[in-house]
């Protein structure tokens, strides 16, 4: 995988905000309950807050390395599920009658934060849907380097594998790497979607354009 750096992109900032608010909402919903026993609605809100916190935190790591979680379908499905669950958690918390005697103001604040997190996840869902359908368009390269970086990371991990017994016997088109006509250190590869790109193993740099 590539080196991690803070994701200073719109989707990266949305993930960071969702992670922080998910954490705060979880603390408020759990620690703000003053009665001896929590209700199912409160426990559900706490569970959703934990899930959102963990998932958004994982997505920050993927955004920081400019890779995707398995493929573009996974973030899209997860964002959709958490968007729905976030709405349900916020609704059941703010309408919980028993909570009115058990620190309702804090519980209400937690519900509002979960609602805001739901909106942030919904915005990221739009990006995830765009990424998913963009990759499905034949012959079109993705607008960003996420697919290429993911493939590059796989290439980087495979550089330590033993070479074929007789590489010259394999036709050029079937090889993983091709260095013909490229500067030293550069190799040509193909992503899972069929796009050709160029990768420099020593620097970790990858590009769609043929280096000169």
């Amino acid at each position: 995988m590539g080196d991690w750096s803070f994701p200073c992109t719109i989707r990266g900032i949305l993930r960071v905000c969702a992670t922080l608010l998910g954490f705060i909402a979880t603390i408020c919903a759990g620690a703000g309950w003053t009665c001896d026993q929590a209700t199912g609605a409160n426990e559900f809100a706490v569970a959703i807050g934990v899930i959102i916190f963990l998932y958004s935190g994982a997505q920050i790591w993927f955004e920081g390395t400019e890779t995707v979680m398995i493929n573009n379908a996974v973030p899209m499905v997860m964002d959709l599920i958490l968007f729905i669950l976030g709405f349900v958690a916020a609704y059941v918390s703010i309408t919980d009658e028993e909570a009115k005697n058990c620190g309702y103001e804090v519980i209400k604040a937690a519900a509002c934060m979960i609602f805001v997190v739901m909106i942030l996840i919904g915005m990221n869902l739009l990006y995830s849907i765009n990424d998913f359908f963009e990759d499905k368009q034949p012959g079109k390269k993705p607008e960003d380097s996420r697919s290429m970086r993911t493939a590059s990371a796989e290439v980087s991990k495979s550089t330590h594998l033993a070479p074929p017994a007789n590489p010259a016997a394999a036709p050029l088109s079937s090889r993983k790497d091709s260095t013909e006509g490229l500067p030293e250190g550069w190799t040509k590869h193909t992503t899972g979607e069929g796009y050709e790109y160029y990768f420099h193993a020593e620097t970790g740099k990858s590009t769609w354009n043929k280096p000169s």
Side-chain angles (χ1 to χ4, degrees):
M1 294 289 180
D3 293 334
W4 187 87
S5 60
F6 186 83
C8 296
T9 60
I10 294 178
R11 73 173 82 199
I13 298 300
L14 290 174
R15 296 290 188 195
V16 171
C17 292
T19 302
L20 293 176
L21 283 177
F23 176 76
I24 297 173
T26 302
I27 298 300
C28 289
W33 192 267
T34 58
C35 293
D36 293 336
Q37 186 173 357
T39 62
N42 180 257
E43 292 174 345
F44 177 73
V46 171
I48 296 304
V50 171
I51 293 172
I52 289 174
F53 170 70
L54 294 176
Y55 169 73
S56 297
Q59 283 297 333
I60 291 174
W61 186 85
F62 282 105
E63 295 292 343
T65 56
E66 296 186 18
T67 56
V68 293
M69 183 183 290
I70 304 176
N71 57 54
N72 284 327
V74 174
M76 181 181 69
V77 172
M78 288 296 298
D79 285 339
L80 177 60
I81 292 173
L82 290 179
F83 178 79
I84 296 171
L85 291 178
F87 174 80
V88 175
Y91 177 79
V92 299
S93 291
I94 209 165
T95 57
D96 187 0
E97 290 295 327
E98 294 186 42
K100 293 184 177 179
N101 299 317
C102 305
Y104 184 63
E105 292 302 318
V106 179
I107 303 303
K108 185 167 62 174
C112 292
M113 282 186 278
I114 293 176
F115 185 78
V116 173
V117 170
M118 181 204 74
I119 295 175
L120 296 175
I121 292 175
M123 295 171 70
N124 261 313
L125 175 60
L126 297 178
Y127 280 106
S128 299
I129 292 173
N130 179 71
D131 289 341
F132 178 76
F133 286 103
E134 195 172 62
D135 276 357
K136 293 297 181 182
Q137 295 182 27
K140 182 179 180 180
K141 294 178 181 178
E143 293 298 323
D144 58 28
S145 61
R146 292 159 67 85
S147 296
M148 183 171 62
R149 284 295 186 91
T150 302
S152 298
E154 294 173 356
V155 170
S156 180
K157 287 190 295 184
S158 67
T159 54
H160 299 291
L161 298 177
N166 185 10
L172 183 61
S173 60
S174 68
R175 296 179 188 168
K176 275 190 174 181
D177 303 346
S178 174
T179 58
E180 184 177 352
L182 296 175
E184 183 179 354
W186 286 94
T187 52
K188 183 171 73 173
H189 306 275
T190 305
T191 69
E193 292 81 17
Y195 308 123
E196 290 186 347
Y197 69 99
Y198 302 88
F199 177 68
H200 194 279
E202 184 176 345
T203 62
K205 182 180 179 181
S206 50
T207 177
W208 295 114
N209 303 315
K210 183 176 181 179
S212 56

